[in-house]
Amino acid sequence: MVKKVLLLLSLFLVACQATSSTKGKNLIIFFDKNQTTTQQLLEKGKPWQLQLVYDYQTLHGMAVYVPNAEDIAQVKDFYHQQPEVFSVNEDQKMELH
């Protein structure tokens, strides 16, 4: 239960961060650190030439850049199917008032 609450809180915090001009081309992936590593997940994404943008070491996640924006849906679906991955979200800009 605590793990789920922390994951939801981390997703909210990450989603509230400003993004670069590549909006819609970045994905944020959270995973189980006991089952995989950032490097292993990047290796699985080689067919799409993913580039690591940021490694969220404390939150056990990563932000990746998808060079071809048309591949985003396919990459999201692929990582959603991986058992060690908790969530895959498109990077977005949210304004808090």
Side-chain angles (χ1 to χ4, degrees):
M1 177 67 178
V2 172
K3 187 176 182 179
K4 289 181 181 180
V5 170
L6 289 174
L7 179 61
L8 290 173
L9 178 60
S10 65
L11 288 173
F12 174 75
L13 292 174
V14 171
C16 292
Q17 295 178 357
T19 62
S20 65
S21 61
T22 59
K23 180 181 177 192
K25 295 184 181 180
N26 292 333
L27 293 176
I28 299 173
I29 302 168
F30 289 98
F31 56 90
D32 184 347
K33 71 170 185 152
N34 295 319
Q35 293 185 17
T36 192
T37 65
T38 300
Q39 275 309 117
Q40 290 172 330
L41 288 175
L42 282 174
E43 284 292 318
K44 289 183 175 187
K46 270 195 171 187
W48 298 285
Q49 300 176 335
L50 303 181
Q51 300 168 13
L52 182 65
V53 175
Y54 193 81
D55 185 3
Y56 298 98
Q57 294 179 1
T58 305
L59 301 173
H60 312 299
M62 65 179 180
V64 294
Y65 173 71
V66 181
N68 186 355
E70 295 172 358
D71 290 338
I72 287 198
Q74 187 178 15
V75 174
K76 280 177 70 173
D77 289 342
F78 173 78
Y79 279 109
H80 270 297
Q81 295 172 7
Q82 304 305 308
E84 66 272 19
V85 173
F86 293 132
S87 67
V88 182
N89 299 295
E90 289 187 44
D91 196 9
Q92 56 186 323
K93 182 177 181 179
M94 295 179 69
E95 294 185 28
L96 300 176
H97 297 279

